[in-house]
C-alpha cells in the first residue's frame, strides 16, 4: 500500500533478518508464542477488473460449463495452460479439511471500536458492530463505558445525547445513566418516587489495549482475555505509533480482501508516492503456511526475485497484521509493523483502524507533519473506493459465492481466495457472509436513516463534529471530512488552524489593499502591494491545505 512506504527508506540500508511472527499463547494470554521465522511487508487493497456483461449469473454459470466461450490475447513467453494460471476450487494439494465447518460465533469475539486517544471526552460516540448499534463514552473519571444505543424509555439514540457530570443523558427526556447502565435520574418522576428497576440499558464489556478500544459483543458469556489481540512490536521500547481511523462505504469483507492484495498497488496507487509504479506490476508467488478456524498465514514475494520474503497473517474476526525486522546501517535491529483492524459496521459499511509503527522512522518521514500522511492515506482509500463500492454492489445483486463471480489468478489472488474459503468455514456463525463456495444473505435489509432525525442528527451529535449538518459535516460516505477528519482530533485541529489563518490573512489582504489606495507615497503604495501579494499567497496556501484535508482525490481521466 502506497501510504506505508514512507517508513521504508532505511530498509535498503540493512540486511533482511528472520522475522518473528507471534500468535496467541494459551499459557500466557498476554503474550504471543513464536510460530514462524519470516519477513513481513505491509500490503493492502484489492483491484477489481470486471466486465459487466459477465455479471449475469446465468452467463457466469454457462461460462463455467463451457456453453459460452470467450478468448483473450495474452503476452506469454511459453505455453502455460489455463489451469496453471487460474485458481481452482482448491488452492493447493496441501490444503486439508476442504468443506470443513468450524465452531464460530461472531459475538464471542473482540471487535476494534476506536483509537483510545480519539474518543471524545465531552460527547458520546455512536458506533456499530455488524447491525448492532452501540454508544461509547468516558465518564467523569475517564473510564470507558459501552451501552446498547437505545434509551429504555422511548428508544431514542443515546449517542445523540450529552454528558452531564460524567453521566450519559438522553436528550429526549433527560434520563441519565451511569457506568453500570442503571438510570439514576428521571426528571419527570413525582417527588419521592423510585426509579423503576427496569430503567437500565444493556451494557457491553470494553477494554483498552495498546492504544485501541475493544468491545466484547456476547450477551451470554464472560469476555475471554485470551482472544484479545496483542501485538508484540507495540510493546517494544521506543516503538513510534502512527495511526488513523477511516469510515468506508463498503462491506468489511471487501475491505479485508482489498488489504490482502499486493498485486493492485502498482496499478491503483501509481505515483501516489515514490514507491508505487505501474511498470512494477508483475506476477507474485504465494505459499500458505498455516490454516485454522481462526484464520491463515503465509509467504509471498515477487516472481522476478524468486524469493517469498513477505509474510501475511489474518486472525479472526477482522485483524490483518504485517511486520518486518531489519538491521539498519549501524547494525541495530529495527522493527516495523503495519496492522489493519477492520470492524464490520453494517451492510455496505466498515470502519478501519490503520496502525503503522516502527522503532525507527526514516528522515523523510520526520520532515512531514502527521496530517500530511493522514490525507495521503485518505487519498489511497479514495483511489480504490469506486471499484470496491461497485464490487460490493455486484455481490449483493448477484447473490452468488465468489467462486462463481471471481476469476482468481494464482499469481495475484491467493490471499483473496484463502479469505473467502475461511468464510466458508465460519460464515454460518456470522449475521451474513459471502464465501468462496457458500453464501448467507442478510436476514434484515439495511436501515436507512434520514435527516433531520436519524443519521444526520446522530453523526452531528455523537461524533466530535457536534451540531449542524453543513457541507463538511453531512454524513456522506464519500466525503473525506466525514470518513476521516471527524474521527481525528489532529486533522480537525489542523483544519481549524488553517481556516483561522486564512480568515486572518484575508482581513489583512483587504486592509493592505485599502492602505495602498489611501496612502500617497509611491514607496508606501509599493510596500502595501507587496504585502497584499504576500497575504494572498498565504490565503492560497491555507486554502490548499484545507482542501488537502477535506476534498476527495479524483483521477484526472475521470474529470469530464
Amino acid at each position: 500500500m502506497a501510504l506505508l512506504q514512507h517508513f521504508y527508506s532505511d530498509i535498503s540500508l540493512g540486511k533482511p533478518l528472520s522475522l518473528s511472527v507471534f500468535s496467541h499463547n494459551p499459557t500466557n494470554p498476554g503474550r504471543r508464542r513464536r510460530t514462524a521465522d519470516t519477513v513481513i511487508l505491509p500490503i493492502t487493497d484489492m483491484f477489481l477488473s470486471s466486465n459487466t456483461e459477465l455479471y449475469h449469473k446465468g452467463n457466469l454459470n454457462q461460462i463455467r460449463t463451457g456453453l459460452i466461450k470467450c478468448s483473450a490475447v495474452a503476452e506469454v513467453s511459453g505455453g502455460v495452460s489455463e489451469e496453471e494460471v487460474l485458481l481452482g476450487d482448491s488452492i493447493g494439494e496441501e490444503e486439508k479439511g476442504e468443506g470443513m465447518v468450524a465452531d464460530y460465533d461472531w459475538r464471542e469475539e473482540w471487535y476494534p471500536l476506536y483509537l483510545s486517544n480519539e474518543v471524545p471526552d465531552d460527547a458520546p460516540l455512536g458506533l456499530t458492530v455488524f447491525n448492532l448499534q452501540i454508544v461509547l463514552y468516558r465518564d467523569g473519571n475517564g473510564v470507558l463505558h459501552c451501552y446498547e444505543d437505545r434509551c429504555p424509555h422511548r428508544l431514542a439514540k443515546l449517542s445523540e445525547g450529552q454528558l452531564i457530570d460524567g453521566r450519559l443523558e438522553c436528550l429526549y427526556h433527560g434520563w441519565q445513566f451511569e457506568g453500570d447502565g442503571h438510570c439514576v435520574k428521571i426528571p419527570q418522576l413525582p417527588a419521592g418516587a423510585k426509579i423503576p428497576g427496569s430503567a437500565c440499558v444493556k451494557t457491553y464489556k470494553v477494554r483498552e489495549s495498546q492504544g485501541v478500544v475493544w468491545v466484547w459483543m456476547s450477551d451470554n458469556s464472560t469476555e475471554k482475555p485470551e482472544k484479545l489481540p496483542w501485538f508484540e512490536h507495540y510493546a517494544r521500547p521506543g516503538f513510534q505509533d502512527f495511526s488513523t481511523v477511516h469510515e468506508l462505504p463498503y462491506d468489511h469483507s471487501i475491505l479485508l480482501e482489498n488489504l490482502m492484495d499486493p498485486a493492485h498497488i502498482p496499478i491503483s496507487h501509481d505515483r501516489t508516492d515514490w514507491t508505487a509504479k505501474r511498470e512494477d506490476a508483475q506476477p507474485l508467488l504465494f505459499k500458505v503456511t498455516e490454516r485454522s478456524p481462526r484464520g491463515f498465514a503465509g509467504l509471498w514475494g515477487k516472481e522476478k526475485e524468486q524469493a517469498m520474503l513477505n509474510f501475511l497473517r489474518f486472525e479472526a474476526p477482522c485483524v490483518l497484521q504485517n511486520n518486518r525486522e531489519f538491521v539498519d546501517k549501524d547494525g541495530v535491529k529495527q522493527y516495523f509493523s503495519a496492522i489493519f483492524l477492520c470492524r464490520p459496521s453494517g451492510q455496505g459499511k466498515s470502519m478501519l483502524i490503520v496502525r503503522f509503527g516502527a522503532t525507527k522512522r526514516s528522515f523523510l518521514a520526520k520532515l512531514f507533519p502527521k496530517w500530511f500522511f493522514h490525507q495521503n492515506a485518505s487519498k489511497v482509500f479514495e483511489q480504490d473506493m469506486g471499484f470496491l463500492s461497485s464490487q460490493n454492489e455486484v455481490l449483493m445483486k448477484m447473490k452468488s459465492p465468489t467462486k462463481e463471480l471471481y476469476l482468481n489468478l494464482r499469481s495475484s489472488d491467493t490471499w483473496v481466495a484463502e479469505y473467502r474459503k475461511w468464510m466458508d468455514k465460519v460464515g454460518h456463525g456470522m449475521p451474513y457472509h459471502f464465501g468462496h463456495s457458500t453464501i448467507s444473505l442478510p436476514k434484515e435489509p439495511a436501515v436507512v436513516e434520514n435527516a433531520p432525525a436519524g443519521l444526520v442528527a446522530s453523526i452531528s451529535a455523537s461524533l466530535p463534529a457536534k451540531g449542524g449538518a453543513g457541507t463538511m459535516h453531512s454524513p456522506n460516505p464519500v466525503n473525506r471530512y466525514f470518513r476521516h477528519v471527524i474521527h481525528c482530533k489532529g486533522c480537525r485541529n489542523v483544519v481549524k488552524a488553517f481556516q483561522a489563518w486564512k480568515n486572518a490573512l484575508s482581513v489583512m489582504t483587504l486592509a493592505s489593499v485599502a492602505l495602498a489606495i489611501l496612502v500617497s507615497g509611491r514607496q508606501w503604495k509599493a510596500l502595501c502591494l507587496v504585502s497584499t501579494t504576500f497575504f494572498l499567497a498565504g490565503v492560497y496556501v491555507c486554502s490548499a491545505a484545507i482542501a488537502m484535508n477535506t476534498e476527495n482525490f479524483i483521477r484526472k481521466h475521470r474529470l469530464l
Side-chain angles (χ1 to χ4, degrees), residues 178-189:
E178 285 194 333
D180 58 2
H182 287 91
C183 183
V184 294
K185 181 179 179 181
I186 299 179
Q188 296 79 20
L189 277 183

Side-chain angles (χ1 to χ4, degrees), residues 96-202:
K96 304 297 182 182
E98 183 75 16
M100 178 185 70
V101 175
D103 184 21
Y104 187 81
D105 183 350
W106 73 273
R107 290 177 181 266
E108 302 282 316
E109 301 287 351
W110 292 97
Y111 290 86
L113 284 184
Y114 225 61
L115 289 172
S116 298
N117 60 359
E118 298 294 350
V119 177
D121 297 322
D122 60 346
L125 188 62
L127 302 168
T128 56
V129 178
F130 278 112
N131 60 331
L132 296 183
Q133 296 176 325
I134 57 179
V135 57
L136 180 72
Y137 77 97
R138 292 190 186 274
D139 63 18
N141 297 318
V143 179
L144 283 169
H145 302 283
C146 187
Y147 302 155
E148 182 180 25
D149 196 5
R150 187 173 69 189
C151 180
H153 177 213
R154 297 268 289 280
L155 310 183
K157 276 192 170 183
L158 293 173
S159 59
E160 296 187 20
Q162 59 186 346
L163 298 181
I164 303 293
D165 298 326
R167 300 170 176 172
L168 179 55
E169 180 184 81
C170 177
L171 269 178
Y172 198 3
H173 294 91
W175 289 30
Q176 294 183 4
F177 302 88
E178 285 194 333
D180 58 2
H182 287 91
C183 183
V184 294
K185 181 179 179 181
I186 299 179
Q188 296 79 20
L189 277 183
K194 292 184 178 180
I195 296 176
S198 57
C200 58
V201 292
K202 181 191 293 186

Side-chain angles (χ1 to χ4, degrees), residues 99 115 272 478:
L115 289 172
T272 297
V478 296

